[in-house]
Amino acid sequence: MKFTGHEVSIVLNFVCYSKQRLEAIQPNASLYAKYLGDYPVLVNYNEEEFSPDISALFKNAGIKNLHFQNDLDKNWAKVTTDLVNMTDSPYILYLTEDMMPTECLADNYFKILVEEFEKYNCSHMALSRISKYNNGSYLKHYHTKTSHLLICESDDSPFPALSLDALYKRDFLTENLKKVWSIEGIPAVREFERLFIRNNGGHKRQINNKITNCVPVKNILIHKHGSRKGCPSGLSL
């Protein structure tokens, strides 16, 4: 095991097929170091093209605890599980490469979110495109509202399926990765994101158990095309 004693580890397992895409994700690695710098960052780049560029991007970003590899195995779930197994962290923050940390994460804000995630025994904190889920009519779905998190049970979740960009309980992530173990490449990622949180009548695309689920009040991540200025909970992504 490469990293021990960290409450959270960050995992990325991705590909990049164009120069334009490479340029779009370049600012993100340094923002991991700025806002999430003490957590281990475990990265697999799953393609040969642009591998030297991606490697240099992460290795020069100032990330204190970095593991970078170029494993070309197309079994996304297996390789992701291998990365998780390099750490003993009880919580895993899975990020896709185009999610940009925002200024909301200043002053160790993510640590506050993790503390509440643990306090309320959550298994999944959705982080991708959550702006419509943390305000307005969707607020009725949450049984607990703190200054930082909106919390609900899985059957009351305003979003039906898993968010890939998310904070997970370690075991919850690895158990559900097994559901897409036999699928290779991008289709595995898509199938993982189709795993239902809400009761789906016993359909095979279903998380293993009912969970406590949450979203942050602030949009701590945005897709690259969004603006990083300000942290309104209703930011349009």
Side-chain angles (χ1 to χ4, degrees):
M1 190 170 290
K2 188 162 186 175
F3 298 104
T4 60
H6 298 271
E7 189 171 31
V8 177
S9 288
I10 302 165
V11 169
L12 298 92
N13 182 15
F14 69 99
V15 296
C16 177
Y17 292 123
S18 71
K19 193 73 172 178
Q20 182 181 14
R21 181 75 166 179
L22 175 63
E23 292 171 356
I25 66 177
Q26 281 178 341
N28 295 351
S30 61
L31 292 173
Y32 304 151
K34 180 177 181 179
Y35 294 125
L36 303 165
D38 290 336
Y39 298 125
V41 179
L42 300 102
V43 181
N44 183 62
Y45 181 62
N46 193 240
E47 199 46 68
E48 291 186 13
E49 188 176 13
F50 302 122
S51 179
D53 303 273
I54 297 291
S55 176
L57 172 64
F58 280 92
K59 291 177 180 178
N60 296 326
I63 297 169
K64 294 178 184 178
N65 297 300
L66 174 68
H67 169 80
F68 181 88
Q69 64 184 40
N70 187 208
D71 187 340
L72 301 180
D73 187 335
K74 295 306 178 185
N75 187 329
W76 171 79
K78 176 188 177 299
V79 175
T80 300
T81 301
D82 289 344
L83 293 173
V84 172
N85 287 338
M86 292 180 189
T87 170
D88 65 355
S89 297
Y91 304 113
I92 302 296
L93 176 61
Y94 188 95
L95 296 176
T96 50
E97 73 285 357
D98 60 347
M99 291 299 283
M100 176 183 283
T102 73
E103 295 165 357
C104 302
L105 287 167
D107 302 319
N108 291 315
Y109 186 71
F110 189 71
K111 183 174 177 59
I112 296 172
L113 295 181
V114 174
E115 288 172 353
E116 291 205 351
F117 187 84
E118 181 177 19
K119 176 181 177 180
Y120 291 97
N121 196 28
C122 297
S123 295
H124 176 258
M125 181 195 299
L127 296 174
S128 179
R129 301 183 184 272
I130 62 168
S131 57
K132 73 175 182 178
Y133 296 122
N134 58 12
N135 68 92
S137 62
Y138 288 96
L139 295 178
K140 65 186 179 184
H141 290 269
Y142 304 105
H143 60 65
T144 302
K145 304 177 183 71
T146 76
S147 298
H148 310 292
L149 287 184
L150 303 171
I151 302 162
C152 63
E153 301 310 306
S154 50
D155 284 348
D156 297 320
S157 176
F159 42 93
L162 289 178
S163 166
L164 179 59
D165 291 279
L167 179 66
Y168 299 85
K169 272 188 180 177
R170 176 198 187 92
D171 290 347
F172 175 74
L173 174 60
T174 55
E175 286 169 6
N176 285 286
L177 284 170
K178 292 175 184 177
K179 289 181 174 288
V180 298
W181 195 279
S182 62
I183 307 170
E184 292 193 347
I186 298 299
V189 178
R190 292 174 179 156
E191 287 300 307
F192 184 85
E193 291 182 297
R194 291 171 181 161
L195 290 174
F196 278 79
I197 294 172
R198 295 200 298 251
N199 189 317
N200 191 36
H203 194 280
K204 64 180 180 179
R205 288 180 179 160
Q206 185 84 41
I207 61 173
N208 284 342
N209 298 294
K210 293 183 179 182
I211 60 167
T212 301
N213 190 43
C214 64
V215 296
V217 171
K218 296 179 181 179
N219 297 307
I220 63 171
L221 301 172
I222 59 171
H223 280 266
K224 179 61 177 67
H225 59 264
S227 169
R228 288 194 297 119
K229 296 298 183 182
C231 303
S233 61
L235 182 67
S236 177
L237 302 185

